[in-house]
Amino acid sequence: QRDLLISDLNKLVGVQTTTNTNGSVNVFFGHGQPLVVGGTASSLAAVPSSADPSRLAVGIVNAAGTQELPESVLSGGALTGILQYRAESLDKAANALGQIAASVALTLNAQHALGQNLLGQISGDSGFVADFFKLGTPRVVANTNNPTGAATVTAAFSAPTYNDGQFSTNLTASDYRLNYDGSTLQLTRLSDNVSWSASSVAALNTSIAGEGFSLGASGSFVAGSSYLIQPTRDAAQNISVNELVSADVRQIAVAAPALASAGTSNVGTASISSGSVAPGYTAPTTASPVTLTYSSSSGGFSGFSSYPVTVNVDGVETSYASGTVPYTSGATISFAGISFTVTGSPSDGDTFTVARNVNGVSDNRNALLMAQMQTGKTMAGGTASFSTVYAQMVSDAGNQGSEAETVLAARQTMLKQAETARNSVSGVNLDEEAVHLIEYQQAYQAAARMLQIASQLFDSILAIG
Protein backbone atom coordinates (compact mmCIF):
# COMPACT_ATOMS: atom_id res chain seq x y z
CA GLN A 1 0.00 0.00 0.00
CA ARG A 2 2.83 2.39 0.84
CA ASP A 3 4.59 1.69 -2.46
CA LEU A 4 1.30 2.16 -4.29
CA LEU A 5 0.79 5.58 -2.68
CA ILE A 6 4.33 6.64 -3.60
CA SER A 7 3.67 5.47 -7.16
CA ASP A 8 0.47 7.54 -7.32
CA LEU A 9 2.33 10.56 -5.94
CA ASN A 10 5.03 10.12 -8.56
CA LYS A 11 2.36 10.46 -11.25
CA LEU A 12 1.66 13.98 -9.99
CA VAL A 13 5.21 15.15 -9.31
CA GLY A 14 8.51 13.34 -9.71
CA VAL A 15 9.73 11.92 -6.37
CA GLN A 16 12.78 10.05 -5.11
CA THR A 17 12.92 7.75 -2.07
CA THR A 18 15.53 6.47 0.36
CA THR A 19 15.06 3.62 2.85
CA ASN A 20 16.02 3.95 6.52
CA THR A 21 17.49 1.11 8.63
CA ASN A 22 14.13 0.54 10.30
CA GLY A 23 12.44 0.00 6.94
CA SER A 24 10.73 3.42 6.78
CA VAL A 25 11.00 5.47 3.61
CA ASN A 26 11.98 9.13 3.08
CA VAL A 27 10.35 10.90 0.13
CA PHE A 28 11.92 13.83 -1.76
CA PHE A 29 10.78 15.77 -4.83
CA GLY A 30 12.24 18.26 -7.28
CA HIS A 31 15.91 18.90 -6.62
CA GLY A 32 15.97 17.12 -3.30
CA GLN A 33 13.29 19.05 -1.42
CA PRO A 34 12.02 16.90 1.49
CA LEU A 35 8.39 15.83 1.52
CA VAL A 36 8.54 13.01 4.09
CA VAL A 37 11.57 12.53 6.36
CA GLY A 38 11.19 10.06 9.20
CA GLY A 39 8.07 11.04 11.09
CA THR A 40 7.91 14.57 9.63
CA ALA A 41 5.74 15.22 6.58
CA SER A 42 5.19 18.33 4.46
CA SER A 43 2.52 18.94 1.84
CA LEU A 44 2.18 20.78 -1.46
CA ALA A 45 -0.47 23.46 -2.01
CA ALA A 46 -1.61 25.87 -4.71
CA VAL A 47 -0.73 29.45 -3.69
CA PRO A 48 -0.92 32.84 -5.48
CA SER A 49 2.37 33.69 -7.15
CA SER A 50 4.25 36.57 -5.54
CA ALA A 51 5.31 37.82 -8.98
CA ASP A 52 1.74 37.70 -10.30
CA PRO A 53 -1.04 37.05 -7.75
CA SER A 54 -3.50 36.25 -10.56
CA ARG A 55 -1.54 33.06 -11.29
CA LEU A 56 -1.29 29.97 -9.09
CA ALA A 57 2.08 28.60 -8.08
CA VAL A 58 3.12 25.52 -6.09
CA GLY A 59 4.03 26.04 -2.46
CA ILE A 60 5.38 23.67 0.19
CA VAL A 61 3.61 23.69 3.56
CA ASN A 62 5.52 22.66 6.68
CA ALA A 63 5.97 23.72 10.30
CA ALA A 64 7.68 26.94 9.19
CA GLY A 65 4.70 28.00 7.07
CA THR A 66 4.07 28.10 3.33
CA GLN A 67 6.91 28.80 0.92
CA GLU A 68 6.40 29.41 -2.80
CA LEU A 69 8.50 27.17 -5.03
CA PRO A 70 10.03 28.26 -8.34
CA GLU A 71 8.59 26.28 -11.24
CA SER A 72 12.13 25.20 -12.16
CA VAL A 73 12.33 23.22 -8.91
CA LEU A 74 9.62 20.78 -9.99
CA SER A 75 10.42 17.95 -12.36
CA GLY A 76 8.41 15.01 -13.67
CA GLY A 77 4.75 14.22 -13.18
CA ALA A 78 1.49 15.69 -14.45
CA LEU A 79 1.79 18.82 -12.29
CA THR A 80 5.14 19.74 -13.82
CA GLY A 81 3.73 19.05 -17.28
CA ILE A 82 0.82 21.41 -16.69
CA LEU A 83 3.10 24.18 -15.44
CA GLN A 84 5.45 23.74 -18.39
CA TYR A 85 2.50 23.80 -20.80
CA ARG A 86 1.30 27.04 -19.24
CA ALA A 87 4.74 28.68 -19.40
CA GLU A 88 5.97 27.35 -22.73
CA SER A 89 2.75 27.16 -24.76
CA LEU A 90 -0.18 29.12 -23.33
CA ASP A 91 1.80 32.15 -22.16
CA LYS A 92 3.76 32.36 -25.41
CA ALA A 93 0.61 31.99 -27.51
CA ALA A 94 -1.19 34.69 -25.49
CA ASN A 95 1.78 37.05 -25.85
CA ALA A 96 2.09 36.42 -29.59
CA LEU A 97 -1.63 36.90 -30.17
CA GLY A 98 -1.49 40.07 -28.07
CA GLN A 99 1.52 41.26 -30.06
CA ILE A 100 -0.53 40.97 -33.25
CA ALA A 101 -3.62 42.61 -31.70
CA ALA A 102 -1.63 45.54 -30.31
CA SER A 103 0.19 46.05 -33.60
CA VAL A 104 -3.09 45.96 -35.55
CA ALA A 105 -4.63 48.56 -33.24
CA LEU A 106 -1.61 50.87 -33.06
CA THR A 107 -0.75 50.90 -36.76
CA LEU A 108 -4.33 51.10 -37.99
CA ASN A 109 -5.12 53.88 -35.53
CA ALA A 110 -2.06 55.81 -36.72
CA GLN A 111 -3.13 55.52 -40.35
CA HIS A 112 -6.78 56.24 -39.51
CA ALA A 113 -5.72 59.47 -37.80
CA LEU A 114 -4.24 60.66 -41.13
CA GLY A 115 -7.62 60.49 -42.86
CA GLN A 116 -10.78 62.50 -43.24
CA ASN A 117 -14.21 61.28 -42.26
CA LEU A 118 -17.55 61.74 -44.05
CA LEU A 119 -18.28 64.74 -41.84
CA GLY A 120 -15.32 66.50 -43.44
CA GLN A 121 -13.32 66.42 -40.21
CA ILE A 122 -9.58 65.80 -40.01
CA SER A 123 -7.09 65.46 -37.17
CA GLY A 124 -7.27 68.54 -34.99
CA ASP A 125 -10.90 69.31 -35.77
CA SER A 126 -13.40 69.20 -32.94
CA GLY A 127 -15.29 65.90 -32.97
CA PHE A 128 -12.77 64.02 -35.09
CA VAL A 129 -12.23 60.43 -33.84
CA ALA A 130 -8.60 59.49 -34.44
CA ASP A 131 -8.62 55.95 -33.00
CA PHE A 132 -10.53 53.27 -34.88
CA PHE A 133 -9.62 50.69 -32.20
CA LYS A 134 -9.49 50.98 -28.44
CA LEU A 135 -6.63 49.20 -26.73
CA GLY A 136 -5.70 48.79 -23.08
CA THR A 137 -2.29 49.58 -21.62
CA PRO A 138 0.53 47.09 -21.01
CA ARG A 139 0.09 45.05 -17.84
CA VAL A 140 2.41 45.81 -14.91
CA VAL A 141 2.32 43.71 -11.74
CA ALA A 142 4.21 44.67 -8.58
CA ASN A 143 5.72 41.77 -6.65
CA THR A 144 3.76 41.13 -3.46
CA ASN A 145 7.06 40.96 -1.56
CA ASN A 146 8.05 44.51 -2.51
CA PRO A 147 9.05 46.72 0.45
CA THR A 148 6.43 49.06 1.84
CA GLY A 149 6.28 52.36 0.00
CA ALA A 150 7.76 51.06 -3.25
CA ALA A 151 7.06 53.08 -6.38
CA THR A 152 4.06 52.40 -8.63
CA VAL A 153 5.17 51.50 -12.14
CA THR A 154 3.10 51.95 -15.29
CA ALA A 155 3.72 51.21 -18.97
CA ALA A 156 2.44 52.61 -22.25
CA PHE A 157 2.68 51.56 -25.88
CA SER A 158 5.03 53.60 -28.04
CA ALA A 159 3.70 55.29 -31.15
CA PRO A 160 4.32 53.25 -34.32
CA THR A 161 7.31 54.07 -36.47
CA TYR A 162 6.60 55.63 -39.89
CA ASN A 163 8.94 54.71 -42.71
CA ASP A 164 8.47 54.68 -46.49
CA GLY A 165 4.75 55.30 -46.16
CA GLN A 166 4.19 52.39 -43.74
CA PHE A 167 3.57 52.26 -39.99
CA SER A 168 5.18 49.49 -37.94
CA THR A 169 5.66 48.52 -34.30
CA ASN A 170 8.66 47.11 -32.45
CA LEU A 171 6.70 45.06 -29.93
CA THR A 172 7.98 41.59 -29.02
CA ALA A 173 6.07 38.61 -27.63
CA SER A 174 8.12 38.61 -24.43
CA ASP A 175 7.48 39.51 -20.81
CA TYR A 176 9.91 41.74 -18.92
CA ARG A 177 11.07 42.07 -15.31
CA LEU A 178 12.11 45.36 -13.72
CA ASN A 179 14.35 45.21 -10.64
CA TYR A 180 15.82 47.96 -8.45
CA ASP A 181 18.85 47.26 -6.26
CA GLY A 182 19.02 50.62 -4.52
CA SER A 183 20.92 52.54 -7.20
CA THR A 184 20.21 50.97 -10.58
CA LEU A 185 17.08 49.99 -12.47
CA GLN A 186 17.47 46.84 -14.55
CA LEU A 187 14.95 45.69 -17.13
CA THR A 188 15.30 42.11 -18.39
CA ARG A 189 13.58 40.65 -21.44
CA LEU A 190 12.62 37.22 -20.15
CA SER A 191 12.50 35.46 -23.52
CA ASP A 192 16.28 35.74 -24.01
CA ASN A 193 17.53 37.44 -20.79
CA VAL A 194 18.74 40.56 -22.62
CA SER A 195 18.85 43.39 -20.06
CA TRP A 196 19.18 47.17 -19.90
CA SER A 197 20.35 49.20 -16.90
CA ALA A 198 19.93 52.88 -16.05
CA SER A 199 19.79 55.14 -13.03
CA SER A 200 16.34 56.55 -13.85
CA VAL A 201 13.16 55.65 -15.70
CA ALA A 202 13.77 58.38 -18.27
CA ALA A 203 17.24 57.02 -19.07
CA LEU A 204 15.88 53.47 -19.18
CA ASN A 205 13.18 54.50 -21.66
CA THR A 206 15.88 55.86 -23.95
CA SER A 207 17.64 52.48 -23.85
CA ILE A 208 14.50 50.45 -24.58
CA ALA A 209 13.12 52.69 -27.31
CA GLY A 210 13.22 49.73 -29.70
CA GLU A 211 10.98 47.50 -27.54
CA GLY A 212 7.71 49.21 -28.44
CA PHE A 213 6.74 50.48 -24.98
CA SER A 214 7.88 52.93 -22.33
CA LEU A 215 7.76 52.97 -18.54
CA GLY A 216 6.50 55.48 -16.02
CA ALA A 217 6.72 55.62 -12.24
CA SER A 218 5.17 57.52 -9.37
CA GLY A 219 6.86 57.60 -5.99
CA SER A 220 10.39 56.54 -5.14
CA PHE A 221 11.91 53.16 -5.89
CA VAL A 222 12.93 51.10 -2.87
CA ALA A 223 15.80 48.62 -2.94
CA GLY A 224 14.60 45.07 -3.51
CA SER A 225 11.57 46.10 -5.59
CA SER A 226 10.54 43.94 -8.52
CA TYR A 227 7.88 44.36 -11.21
CA LEU A 228 6.57 42.04 -13.93
CA ILE A 229 5.80 43.85 -17.19
CA GLN A 230 3.64 42.14 -19.80
CA PRO A 231 3.20 44.51 -22.76
CA THR A 232 1.08 42.17 -24.90
CA ARG A 233 -0.37 39.54 -22.53
CA ASP A 234 -3.87 41.06 -22.33
CA ALA A 235 -3.92 42.99 -25.62
CA ALA A 236 -5.92 40.40 -27.58
CA GLN A 237 -8.73 40.32 -25.02
CA ASN A 238 -8.77 44.11 -24.56
CA ILE A 239 -8.89 45.25 -28.19
CA SER A 240 -12.26 46.57 -29.40
CA VAL A 241 -13.71 48.91 -32.00
CA ASN A 242 -14.06 52.45 -30.70
CA GLU A 243 -17.69 52.85 -29.65
CA LEU A 244 -17.74 56.35 -31.20
CA VAL A 245 -16.99 54.76 -34.57
CA SER A 246 -19.40 51.86 -34.21
CA ALA A 247 -22.15 54.28 -33.21
CA ASP A 248 -21.62 56.50 -36.26
CA VAL A 249 -19.83 55.00 -39.27
CA ARG A 250 -19.41 58.49 -40.73
CA GLN A 251 -16.56 58.82 -38.24
CA ILE A 252 -14.47 56.32 -40.20
CA ALA A 253 -11.69 58.35 -41.82
CA VAL A 254 -11.83 56.78 -45.27
CA ALA A 255 -10.68 59.79 -47.30
CA ALA A 256 -7.41 61.75 -47.34
CA PRO A 257 -7.38 65.28 -45.88
CA ALA A 258 -5.57 66.92 -48.82
CA LEU A 259 -6.36 66.75 -52.52
CA ALA A 260 -4.09 67.66 -55.42
CA SER A 261 -5.61 68.51 -58.80
CA ALA A 262 -4.64 69.96 -62.16
CA GLY A 263 -5.89 73.36 -63.28
CA THR A 264 -8.91 73.29 -65.58
CA SER A 265 -7.21 75.61 -68.05
CA ASN A 266 -3.99 73.60 -68.39
CA VAL A 267 -2.93 72.91 -71.96
CA GLY A 268 -0.08 70.46 -71.28
CA THR A 269 -0.35 66.72 -70.93
CA ALA A 270 0.89 66.59 -67.33
CA SER A 271 -1.30 64.94 -64.67
CA ILE A 272 -1.01 64.92 -60.90
CA SER A 273 -1.89 62.19 -58.39
CA SER A 274 -4.46 62.86 -55.68
CA GLY A 275 -1.71 62.84 -53.08
CA SER A 276 -1.14 61.38 -49.62
CA VAL A 277 -0.12 62.70 -46.23
CA ALA A 278 2.42 61.65 -43.60
CA PRO A 279 2.44 62.16 -39.81
CA GLY A 280 2.84 65.83 -38.88
CA TYR A 281 1.39 67.07 -42.15
CA THR A 282 0.03 70.61 -42.47
CA ALA A 283 -3.24 70.65 -44.35
CA PRO A 284 -3.88 73.75 -46.48
CA THR A 285 -6.85 75.75 -45.32
CA THR A 286 -9.94 75.88 -47.47
CA ALA A 287 -9.40 79.58 -48.12
CA SER A 288 -5.67 79.33 -48.90
CA PRO A 289 -4.76 76.38 -51.11
CA VAL A 290 -1.21 75.96 -52.42
CA THR A 291 -1.03 76.65 -56.16
CA LEU A 292 2.01 75.48 -58.10
CA THR A 293 2.84 77.05 -61.45
CA TYR A 294 5.10 75.52 -64.09
CA SER A 295 7.61 77.71 -65.89
CA SER A 296 9.10 76.45 -69.13
CA SER A 297 12.01 78.87 -68.85
CA SER A 298 13.12 77.52 -65.46
CA GLY A 299 11.89 73.99 -66.08
CA GLY A 300 10.29 73.76 -62.67
CA PHE A 301 7.46 74.63 -60.30
CA SER A 302 7.10 77.66 -58.08
CA GLY A 303 4.52 78.58 -55.47
CA PHE A 304 5.64 76.45 -52.54
CA SER A 305 5.95 79.63 -50.47
CA SER A 306 8.28 79.04 -47.52
CA TYR A 307 7.72 75.27 -47.35
CA PRO A 308 10.88 73.14 -47.72
CA VAL A 309 10.42 70.73 -50.62
CA THR A 310 11.78 67.21 -51.18
CA VAL A 311 11.87 65.62 -54.62
CA ASN A 312 12.30 61.85 -54.92
CA VAL A 313 13.51 60.54 -58.27
CA ASP A 314 13.97 56.75 -58.40
CA GLY A 315 14.72 56.60 -54.68
CA VAL A 316 17.15 59.55 -54.70
CA GLU A 317 15.90 62.47 -52.61
CA THR A 318 16.89 66.10 -53.14
CA SER A 319 15.83 68.88 -50.79
CA TYR A 320 15.05 72.47 -51.78
CA ALA A 321 14.68 75.27 -49.25
CA SER A 322 12.67 77.63 -51.43
CA GLY A 323 12.34 79.05 -54.93
CA THR A 324 11.76 77.03 -58.06
CA VAL A 325 11.78 73.24 -57.80
CA PRO A 326 13.05 71.43 -60.94
CA TYR A 327 10.49 69.15 -62.58
CA THR A 328 11.13 65.52 -63.51
CA SER A 329 8.28 63.43 -64.84
CA GLY A 330 7.31 60.70 -62.38
CA ALA A 331 9.11 62.31 -59.45
CA THR A 332 7.40 62.35 -56.05
CA ILE A 333 7.22 65.87 -54.63
CA SER A 334 6.68 66.39 -50.89
CA PHE A 335 6.13 69.47 -48.75
CA ALA A 336 4.47 70.08 -45.40
CA GLY A 337 3.96 66.31 -45.04
CA ILE A 338 1.95 66.11 -48.29
CA SER A 339 3.23 64.03 -51.23
CA PHE A 340 2.07 63.76 -54.83
CA THR A 341 3.43 62.68 -58.22
CA VAL A 342 3.36 64.66 -61.46
CA THR A 343 3.81 62.86 -64.78
CA GLY A 344 3.73 63.98 -68.39
CA SER A 345 4.71 67.25 -70.06
CA PRO A 346 3.30 70.45 -68.55
CA SER A 347 3.08 73.63 -70.59
CA ASP A 348 4.25 77.05 -69.51
CA GLY A 349 1.80 78.54 -67.04
CA ASP A 350 0.05 75.26 -66.22
CA THR A 351 -1.06 75.16 -62.58
CA PHE A 352 -1.62 72.45 -60.04
CA THR A 353 -3.45 72.99 -56.75
CA VAL A 354 -2.99 71.29 -53.40
CA ALA A 355 -6.00 72.06 -51.22
CA ARG A 356 -7.89 70.72 -48.27
CA ASN A 357 -10.34 67.98 -49.16
CA VAL A 358 -13.89 69.25 -48.85
CA ASN A 359 -15.94 66.43 -47.32
CA GLY A 360 -14.29 63.09 -48.13
CA VAL A 361 -17.08 61.97 -50.47
CA SER A 362 -16.04 59.61 -53.30
CA ASP A 363 -12.57 59.32 -51.80
CA ASN A 364 -11.18 56.06 -50.39
CA ARG A 365 -7.44 56.81 -50.41
CA ASN A 366 -6.97 56.38 -46.66
CA ALA A 367 -9.11 53.23 -46.65
CA LEU A 368 -6.84 51.73 -49.31
CA LEU A 369 -3.77 52.51 -47.21
CA MET A 370 -5.37 50.81 -44.21
CA ALA A 371 -6.26 47.79 -46.35
CA GLN A 372 -2.65 47.51 -47.53
CA MET A 373 -1.59 46.97 -43.92
CA GLN A 374 -2.96 43.42 -44.14
CA THR A 375 0.12 42.35 -46.08
CA GLY A 376 2.48 45.23 -45.28
CA LYS A 377 5.57 45.02 -43.05
CA THR A 378 3.83 46.33 -39.96
CA MET A 379 5.55 44.32 -37.21
CA ALA A 380 9.00 43.49 -35.84
CA GLY A 381 10.40 46.88 -36.78
CA GLY A 382 9.04 46.76 -40.30
CA THR A 383 10.33 43.27 -41.16
CA ALA A 384 7.18 41.12 -40.78
CA SER A 385 3.48 41.29 -41.54
CA PHE A 386 0.49 40.37 -39.37
CA SER A 387 0.02 37.10 -41.25
CA THR A 388 3.73 36.22 -40.99
CA VAL A 389 3.76 36.58 -37.22
CA TYR A 390 0.45 34.70 -36.89
CA ALA A 391 1.74 31.87 -39.08
CA GLN A 392 4.86 31.67 -36.92
CA MET A 393 2.72 31.46 -33.79
CA VAL A 394 0.64 28.61 -35.25
CA SER A 395 3.81 26.85 -36.44
CA ASP A 396 5.38 27.08 -32.98
CA ALA A 397 2.26 25.61 -31.37
CA GLY A 398 2.20 22.78 -33.91
CA ASN A 399 5.88 22.02 -33.40
CA GLN A 400 5.41 21.90 -29.64
CA GLY A 401 2.46 19.53 -30.05
CA SER A 402 4.42 17.25 -32.36
CA GLU A 403 7.40 17.29 -30.00
CA ALA A 404 5.14 16.45 -27.06
CA GLU A 405 3.69 13.44 -28.90
CA THR A 406 7.18 12.14 -29.68
CA VAL A 407 8.32 12.58 -26.09
CA LEU A 408 5.12 10.93 -24.83
CA ALA A 409 5.72 7.82 -26.95
CA ALA A 410 9.31 7.55 -25.73
CA ARG A 411 8.35 8.07 -22.09
CA GLN A 412 5.56 5.49 -22.30
CA THR A 413 8.10 2.93 -23.50
CA MET A 414 10.43 3.85 -20.63
CA LEU A 415 7.53 3.62 -18.16
CA LYS A 416 6.58 0.14 -19.36
CA GLN A 417 10.18 -1.04 -19.03
CA ALA A 418 10.44 0.41 -15.51
CA GLU A 419 7.16 -1.16 -14.42
CA THR A 420 8.28 -4.54 -15.78
CA ALA A 421 11.59 -4.29 -13.90
CA ARG A 422 9.80 -3.29 -10.69
CA ASN A 423 7.22 -6.03 -10.92
CA SER A 424 9.92 -8.62 -11.45
CA VAL A 425 11.22 -7.75 -7.99
CA SER A 426 8.25 -6.65 -5.91
CA GLY A 427 5.21 -7.08 -8.10
CA VAL A 428 2.43 -9.62 -7.81
CA ASN A 429 2.18 -12.37 -10.49
CA LEU A 430 -1.40 -13.68 -10.57
CA ASP A 431 -0.41 -17.01 -12.16
CA GLU A 432 2.23 -17.59 -9.50
CA GLU A 433 -0.18 -16.69 -6.73
CA ALA A 434 -2.77 -19.11 -8.17
CA VAL A 435 -0.21 -21.94 -8.04
CA HIS A 436 0.60 -21.08 -4.42
CA LEU A 437 -3.11 -21.06 -3.59
CA ILE A 438 -3.51 -24.55 -5.03
CA GLU A 439 -0.48 -25.71 -3.03
CA TYR A 440 -1.95 -24.29 0.19
CA GLN A 441 -5.33 -25.87 -0.58
CA GLN A 442 -3.79 -29.30 -1.14
CA ALA A 443 -1.69 -29.00 2.04
CA TYR A 444 -4.84 -28.09 4.00
CA GLN A 445 -6.71 -31.04 2.55
CA ALA A 446 -3.81 -33.39 3.40
CA ALA A 447 -3.65 -32.15 6.99
CA ALA A 448 -7.42 -32.60 7.31
CA ARG A 449 -7.13 -36.17 6.04
CA MET A 450 -4.40 -36.90 8.58
CA LEU A 451 -6.64 -35.64 11.38
CA GLN A 452 -9.52 -37.77 10.10
CA ILE A 453 -7.35 -40.93 10.06
CA ALA A 454 -6.03 -40.22 13.56
CA SER A 455 -9.59 -39.79 14.84
CA GLN A 456 -10.69 -43.07 13.26
CA LEU A 457 -7.71 -44.93 14.80
CA PHE A 458 -8.48 -43.51 18.23
CA ASP A 459 -12.12 -44.56 17.95
CA SER A 460 -11.08 -48.08 16.91
CA ILE A 461 -8.71 -48.40 19.91
CA LEU A 462 -11.48 -47.35 22.28
CA ALA A 463 -13.86 -49.91 20.73
CA ILE A 464 -11.32 -52.75 21.27
CA GLY A 465 -10.92 -51.77 24.89
Side-chain angles (χ1 to χ4, degrees), residues 298-309:
S298 63
F301 288 106
S302 61
F304 291 99
S305 185
S306 59
Y307 291 115
V309 182

Side-chain angles (χ1 to χ4, degrees), residues 21-371:
T21 55
N22 63 357
S24 63
V25 173
N26 301 323
V27 181
F28 304 89
F29 72 98
H31 297 164
Q33 282 72 22
L35 195 57
V36 178
V37 177
T40 303
S42 303
S43 61
L44 300 179
V47 297
S49 170
S50 59
D52 184 358
S54 66
R55 292 165 65 90
L56 291 178
V58 178
I60 184 168
V61 183
N62 50 35
T66 301
Q67 178 184 2
E68 181 183 343
L69 297 172
E71 292 184 5
S72 59
V73 168
L74 301 174
S75 62
L79 179 58
T80 302
I82 291 173
L83 294 177
Q84 289 180 348
Y85 172 68
R86 181 177 68 176
E88 298 176 8
S89 297
L90 286 182
D91 289 349
K92 289 183 178 180
N95 281 352
L97 201 59
Q99 178 192 15
I100 298 171
S103 297
V104 167
L106 293 170
T107 55
L108 210 66
N109 283 351
Q111 186 62 57
H112 185 264
L114 294 180
Q116 183 181 46
N117 61 29
L118 282 174
L119 300 174
Q121 299 166 340
I122 66 173
S123 179
D125 291 347
S126 176
F128 179 75
V129 179
D131 291 343
F132 185 89
F133 288 108
K134 295 189 70 175
L135 183 68
T137 58
R139 186 169 183 258
V140 180
V141 183
N143 194 294
T144 57
N145 295 325
N146 281 356
T148 303
T152 299
V153 176
T154 57
F157 291 112
S158 301
T161 302
Y162 185 80
N163 188 35
D164 292 333
Q166 182 73 70
F167 287 100
S168 63
T169 65
N170 294 317
L171 289 168
T172 69
S174 177
D175 293 339
Y176 299 75
R177 179 169 287 112
L178 178 67
N179 294 319
Y180 182 67
D181 62 5
S183 60
T184 303
L185 289 167
Q186 184 180 57
L187 182 71
T188 302
R189 189 168 59 204
L190 300 182
S191 61
D192 55 11
N193 289 324
V194 173
S195 62
W196 301 265
S197 298
S199 58
S200 66
V201 172
L204 188 61
N205 283 334
T206 301
S207 301
I208 65 170
E211 297 302 297
F213 68 95
S214 60
L215 300 175
S218 59
S220 301
F221 285 97
V222 180
S225 300
S226 178
Y227 305 85
L228 177 65
I229 300 167
Q230 298 174 321
T232 63
R233 177 62 57 85
D234 296 335
Q237 66 181 10
N238 290 334
I239 186 175
S240 62
V241 175
N242 192 328
E243 63 274 8
L244 296 177
V245 172
S246 58
D248 185 358
V249 295
R250 295 177 301 171
Q251 291 285 2
I252 302 177
V254 173
L259 179 64
S261 59
T264 56
S265 59
N266 289 357
V267 295
T269 60
S271 60
I272 187 172
S273 65
S274 298
S276 60
V277 298
Y281 75 93
T282 301
T285 62
T286 304
S288 302
V290 175
T291 300
L292 309 179
T293 303
Y294 178 75
S295 171
S296 58
S297 60
S298 63
F301 288 106
S302 61
F304 291 99
S305 185
S306 59
Y307 291 115
V309 182
T310 299
V311 178
N312 188 315
V313 180
D314 296 330
V316 178
E317 290 189 351
T318 305
S319 298
Y320 300 89
S322 60
T324 301
V325 175
Y327 168 67
T328 301
S329 178
T332 299
I333 302 173
S334 303
F335 74 96
I338 304 172
S339 300
F340 53 88
T341 301
V342 180
T343 57
S345 301
S347 296
D348 187 57
D350 281 357
T351 60
F352 300 88
T353 302
V354 180
R356 173 167 172 162
N357 204 352
V358 179
N359 51 24
V361 175
S362 300
D363 185 350
N364 65 346
R365 283 175 290 160
N366 201 48
L368 292 176
L369 292 175
M370 288 189 287

